């Protein structure tokens, strides 16, 4: 007897890609940290700058206009002391891949849109770890 997950077919087909946590992050994206420009990975360890908060607000506004619900921006959701690590969370509306395509700052070799390392996306009703912090 074969077991089948209850995930929709389109998500099951993409599981190998969707399961690569952090694969959609650009670690080197130049980020204004308030006292100078640093790579995105280093900006995670600093207080969020105006540039960082501005992009998170743009994502939040886009989600709101696209019908998403329960939208919030959380800092350091893993409690690692990375105050600049921002996570935009929401329910319903737009899948993370669509948001990443709109706000991506570069692209990976396989075409995955990349967000700055300090910005993670988490749609609570869509399994896609590409734009969430790696394990």
């Amino acid at each position: 007897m074969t077991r089948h997950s209850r995930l929709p077919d389109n998500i099951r087909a993409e599981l190998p890609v969707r399961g690569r946590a952090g694969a959609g992050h650009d670690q080197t994206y130049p980020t204004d940290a308030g006292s100078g420009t640093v790579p995105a990975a280093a900006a995670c360890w600093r207080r969020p700058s105006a540039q960082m908060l501005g992009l998170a607000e743009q994502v939040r506004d886009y989600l709101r206009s696209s019908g998403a619900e329960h939208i919030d921006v959380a800092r350091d959701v893993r409690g690692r002391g990375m105050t600049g690590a921002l996570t935009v969370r929401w329910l319903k509306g737009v899948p993370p891949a669509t948001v990443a395509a709109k706000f991506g700052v570069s692209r990976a070799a396989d075409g995955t849109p990349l967000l700055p390392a300090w910005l993670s996306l988490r749609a609570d009703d869509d399994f896609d770890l590409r734009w969430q912090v790696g394990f």
Side-chain angles (χ1 to χ4, degrees):
M1 179 157 96
T2 304
R3 288 187 159 182
H4 296 281
S5 74
R6 293 189 177 147
L7 293 171
D9 290 340
N10 64 320
I11 292 178
R12 266 201 323 245
E14 295 179 352
L15 281 180
V17 175
R18 287 177 176 234
R20 297 180 324 167
H25 284 151
D26 184 338
Q27 303 292 327
T28 61
Y29 179 71
T31 301
D32 177 12
S35 60
T37 302
V38 298
C44 292
W45 296 97
R46 299 171 181 235
R47 294 188 70 192
S49 67
Q51 175 193 11
M52 297 162 72
L53 293 171
L55 183 57
E57 287 299 314
Q58 288 176 19
V59 171
R60 192 176 79 171
D61 292 344
Y62 173 73
L63 289 168
R64 187 176 291 128
S65 69
S66 300
E69 299 174 1
H70 304 290
I71 306 161
D72 74 346
V73 178
R75 292 184 187 183
D76 194 19
V77 293
R78 294 195 169 197
R80 292 182 173 172
M82 302 172 79
T83 57
L86 305 173
T87 302
V88 180
R89 304 179 293 192
W90 71 95
L91 181 67
K92 297 183 184 175
V94 185
T98 303
V99 177
K102 181 160 180 63
F103 294 98
V105 295
S106 60
R107 291 204 171 267
D110 66 358
T112 301
L114 302 177
L115 295 172
W118 43 263
L119 181 63
S120 296
L121 304 176
R122 189 166 98 196
D124 289 337
D125 57 347
D126 190 340
F127 171 82
D128 200 330
L129 297 177
R130 287 176 285 187
W131 298 282
Q132 292 188 41
V133 187
F135 300 106

